[in-house]
Amino acid sequence: RADMTFVRERVVVFVDGCFWHRCPVHATAPANNSAWWEHKLRGNVARDRETDGRLREAGWVVLRFWEHQDMTEAAEQVVRTLRERRAGGPR
């Protein structure tokens, strides 16, 4: 589920949690029930990539940020993308 959706501009924003979406910097692997967690977390990442692909094929711009990223910088990127789309930028 998207964190923000800008329908008119066809821009969707996700803020992914490091644990649940396997951040390359902060991902951890639980020791208890490790096989189940491995399957669960791989499935989350696969679903993320599938979602990205489907949205892009439908003409959406997908912006993903990690929870640890500077949200001011993330917001600035969202604003830039919205301005580009409103100005007739890449579709």
Side-chain angles (χ1 to χ4, degrees):
R1 192 166 284 180
D3 293 291
M4 289 185 284
T5 304
F6 300 90
V7 177
R8 186 173 4 137
E9 296 83 359
R10 297 177 68 95
V11 174
V12 62
V13 180
F14 296 91
V15 179
D16 292 337
C18 292
F19 175 77
W20 294 105
H21 299 271
R22 295 208 122 168
C23 167
V25 177
H26 301 111
T28 59
N32 291 335
N33 206 8
S34 60
W36 185 88
W37 279 108
E38 178 67 22
H39 177 75
K40 168 67 175 155
L41 297 174
R42 279 183 190 255
N44 288 353
V45 173
R47 186 184 64 241
D48 291 345
R49 298 299 75 82
E50 181 181 339
T51 298
D52 292 351
R54 286 181 179 195
L55 286 166
R56 287 184 179 121
E57 286 175 10
W60 289 74
V61 171
V62 178
L63 300 176
R64 282 194 181 265
F65 303 99
W66 291 109
E67 67 180 337
H68 66 266
Q69 286 183 266
D70 182 318
M71 285 300 122
T72 299
E73 291 177 13
E76 290 169 356
Q77 184 175 345
V78 171
V79 169
R80 280 192 306 272
T81 302
L82 291 171
R83 284 182 179 150
E84 288 174 6
R85 299 286 281 195
R86 289 173 183 154
R91 294 268 174 187

